[in-house]
């Protein structure tokens, strides 16, 4: 039987909830954070250390959303090349995006976090000459900025991945992998130790401003007052902030994991680097310290009802690594990611003191860890210069409901094309 939605892999960090601080009655804080994922917890950590009183509200359990269930790839930069980002958003955003992986790995090292990790690079593996041409431009631009990147030949990418289906690749040595559930849980722990109060299973169902103060209504009936509010819900955004959920298209990110692979498969991902390929529907994978292969990609829009919901990933794995056909899948899970039409993040402030940052676009671990530090400064001082990109109005996507239907159709069609290609 397939695993229940949001079920974390059994071999991951066991976690604990000694930091869970239940809400027992009305409270007043300087910063209330709605959402206990990487963005919310990173902001809570830095805001608490900056001297603010902070309360984090997580509607479910910490780590059960995409923050704990993503592919574990920590990739700097954004989806676009740095020259494009600089032209449209400024050099500051380029510099910020280049530092996002540093923020994750520095935090793990400096705080001595109990997070399995490896920082030895990320490979983009290419199946077409057009993809290689685009990568050469990206490689040149990042090299000009001092990044440790390089193009890979056909033989080199085969040696590093163990797969013979690619014709070239690109290596970004700034990147790496982590256990995302362990990282999210450890963020909750150190944020709590810094003075932030984190509560699980506490949904915020109402949000209004009265007499210059924000009032949050909890599902339990308790009301919280706050000077500022950060809505850090990303793909799990609802109607709490009008129009916010309609600015993104939430897509499911599906994951599968094999049992630890026998020694005869040592040629597969021998150096445990993260890999993303250039299919129409992106497939990404990594190998864990105990030898499992974790492979992920987009899937159906709705929640899967059987193991068949992950069958497209099993087919992809067999195409990339034919020797693994029939190896068996030990675990299946998924989380939701927030995609924007231009693949760029957004920061909104529809009313003074109400902040929302949204749109991970596949870069969430590094992006939201780094952004948390800047959001904390902005919440404390109110200076927009603290933010790496400008605050913009909430602009719901036209025909948002139809966009989800269109995304579902596009995913189905492109998955079929990928499966047919040899």
């Amino acid at each position: 039987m397939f695993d229940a939605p949001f079920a974390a892999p059994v071999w991951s960090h066991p976690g604990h909830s000694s930091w869970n601080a239940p809400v027992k009655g009305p409270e007043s804080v300087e910063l209330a954070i709605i959402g206990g994922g990487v963005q919310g917890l990173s902001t809570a950590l830095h805001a608490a250390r900056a001297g603010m009183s902070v309360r984090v509200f997580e509607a479910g359990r910490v780590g059960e959303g995409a923050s704990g269930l993503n592919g574990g790839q920590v990739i700097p930069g954004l989806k676009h090349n740095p020259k494009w980002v600089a032209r449209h958003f400024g050099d500051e955003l380029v510099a910020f995006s280049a530092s996002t992986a540093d923020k994750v790995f520095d935090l793990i090292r400096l705080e001595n976090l109990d997070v399995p990790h490896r920082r030895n690079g990320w490979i983009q593996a290419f199946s077409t000459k057009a993809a290689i041409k685009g990568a050469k431009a990206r490689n040149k631009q990042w090299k000009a900025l001092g990044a440790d990147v390089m193009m890979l030949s056909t033989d080199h990418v085969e040696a590093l991945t163990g797969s013979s289906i690619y014709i070239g690749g690109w290596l970004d040595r700034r990147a790496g992998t982590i256990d995302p559930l362990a990282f999210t849980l450890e963020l909750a722990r150190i944020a709590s130790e810094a003075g932030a109060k984190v509560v699980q299973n506490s949904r915020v169902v109402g949000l209004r401003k009265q007499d210059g103060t924000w009032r949050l209504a909890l599902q339990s009936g308790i009301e919280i007052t706050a000077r500022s509010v950060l809505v850090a819900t990303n793909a799990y955004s609802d109607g709490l902030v009008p129009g916010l959920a309609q600015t993104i298209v939430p897509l499911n990110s599906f994951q599968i994991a094999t049992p630890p692979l026998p020694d005869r498969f040592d040629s597969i991902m021998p150096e445990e680097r993260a890999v993303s390929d250039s299919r129409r529907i992106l497939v990404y994978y990594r190998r864990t310290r105990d030898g499992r292969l974790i492979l992920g990609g987009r899937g159906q829009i709705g929640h899967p009802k059987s193991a068949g919901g992950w069958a497209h990933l099993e087919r992809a794995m067999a195409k990339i690594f034919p020797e693994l056909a029939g190896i068996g899948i030990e675990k299946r899970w998924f989380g939701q990611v927030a995609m924007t039409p231009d693949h760029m993040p957004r920061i909104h402030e529809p009313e003074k003191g109400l902040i929302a940052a949204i749109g991970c676009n596949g870069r969430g671990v590094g992006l939201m860890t780094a952004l948390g530090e800047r959001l904390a400064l902005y919440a404390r001082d109110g200076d927009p210069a603290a933010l790496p990109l400008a605050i913009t109005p909430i602009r719901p996507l036209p025909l948002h409901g139809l966009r989800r239907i269109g995304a579902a159709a596009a995913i189905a069609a492109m998955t079929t094309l990928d499966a047919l290609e040899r």
Side-chain angles (χ1 to χ4, degrees), residues 87 127 172 223 247 257 273 284 310 349 391:
R87 184 166 64 251
S127 303
D172 187 340
E223 185 173 84
T247 64
R273 287 187 170 93
Y284 45 90
W310 287 264
E349 191 173 20
I391 295 171

Side-chain angles (χ1 to χ4, degrees), residues 196-280:
K197 294 181 179 179
V198 182
V199 61
Q200 303 183 107
N201 301 308
S202 185
R203 182 178 295 276
V204 178
V205 296
L207 181 62
R208 61 189 173 89
K209 195 172 188 180
Q210 181 178 321
D211 300 327
T213 300
W214 287 98
R215 299 177 185 273
L216 294 77
L218 305 186
Q219 196 168 35
S220 63
I222 297 173
E223 185 173 84
I224 306 297
T225 59
R227 188 188 77 190
S228 299
V229 177
L230 170 67
V231 180
T233 47
N234 256 301
Y236 299 90
S237 298
D238 52 22
L240 199 61
V241 177
L244 182 64
Q246 289 71 45
T247 64
I248 53 99
V249 177
L251 298 178
N252 286 331
S253 181
F254 284 67
Q255 312 280 323
I256 58 174
T258 69
L261 298 177
D263 292 344
R264 68 179 183 275
F265 297 124
D266 282 351
S267 63
I268 293 177
M269 306 291 288
E271 298 178 13
E272 300 175 12
R273 287 187 170 93
V275 179
S276 303
D277 70 15
S278 59
R279 294 164 182 257
R280 295 175 181 87

Side-chain angles (χ1 to χ4, degrees), residues 141-412:
Q141 291 176 31
W142 275 120
K143 269 188 170 297
L145 295 172
D148 190 1
V149 297
M150 66 177 290
M151 296 298 297
L152 300 174
S153 67
T154 302
D155 290 342
H156 201 176
V157 76
E158 180 174 353
L160 292 178
T161 64
S163 176
S164 61
I165 71 169
Y166 303 116
I167 63 172
W170 184 63
L171 173 63
D172 187 340
R173 293 191 183 90
R174 300 170 298 173
T177 60
I178 62 168
D179 179 325
L181 178 61
F183 183 66
T184 306
L185 292 171
E186 284 287 81
L187 274 180
R189 177 182 64 81
I190 61 174
S192 176
E193 291 174 355
K197 294 181 179 179
V198 182
V199 61
Q200 303 183 107
N201 301 308
S202 185
R203 182 178 295 276
V204 178
V205 296
L207 181 62
R208 61 189 173 89
K209 195 172 188 180
Q210 181 178 321
D211 300 327
T213 300
W214 287 98
R215 299 177 185 273
L216 294 77
L218 305 186
Q219 196 168 35
S220 63
I222 297 173
E223 185 173 84
I224 306 297
T225 59
R227 188 188 77 190
S228 299
V229 177
L230 170 67
V231 180
T233 47
N234 256 301
Y236 299 90
S237 298
D238 52 22
L240 199 61
V241 177
L244 182 64
Q246 289 71 45
T247 64
I248 53 99
V249 177
L251 298 178
N252 286 331
S253 181
F254 284 67
Q255 312 280 323
I256 58 174
T258 69
L261 298 177
D263 292 344
R264 68 179 183 275
F265 297 124
D266 282 351
S267 63
I268 293 177
M269 306 291 288
E271 298 178 13
E272 300 175 12
R273 287 187 170 93
V275 179
S276 303
D277 70 15
S278 59
R279 294 164 182 257
R280 295 175 181 87
I281 296 298
L282 179 71
V283 174
Y284 45 90
Y285 47 96
R286 62 186 173 96
R287 192 160 179 178
T288 63
R289 287 289 177 89
D290 63 354
R292 304 172 195 275
L293 183 71
I294 296 179
L295 184 143
R298 302 293 176 255
Q300 63 191 65
I301 296 292
H303 289 188
K305 296 181 173 59
S306 71
W310 287 264
H312 63 293
L313 294 183
E314 296 182 48
R315 291 192 297 268
M317 185 174 70
K319 181 177 180 179
I320 298 167
F321 303 110
E323 62 269 43
L324 293 185
I327 194 67
I329 301 303
E330 184 174 280
K331 198 78 173 176
R332 301 173 176 88
W333 69 99
F334 71 96
Q336 287 190 311
V337 295
M339 306 297 290
T340 56
D342 62 356
H343 302 294
M344 292 295 293
R346 304 278 194 275
I347 299 178
H348 305 300
E349 191 173 20
E351 293 187 60
K352 185 63 179 176
L354 176 60
I355 311 158
I358 196 166
C360 295
N361 297 291
R363 295 289 190 272
V365 176
L367 178 63
M368 293 302 161
T369 299
L371 190 57
E373 184 175 5
R374 303 295 193 92
L375 289 168
L377 292 175
Y378 182 67
R380 186 190 67 180
D381 302 329
D383 183 359
L387 301 174
L389 68 164
I391 295 171
T392 56
I394 291 177
R395 294 191 178 97
L397 299 175
L399 303 174
H400 182 263
L402 293 180
R403 282 180 179 263
R404 292 201 65 181
I405 296 172
I411 287 171

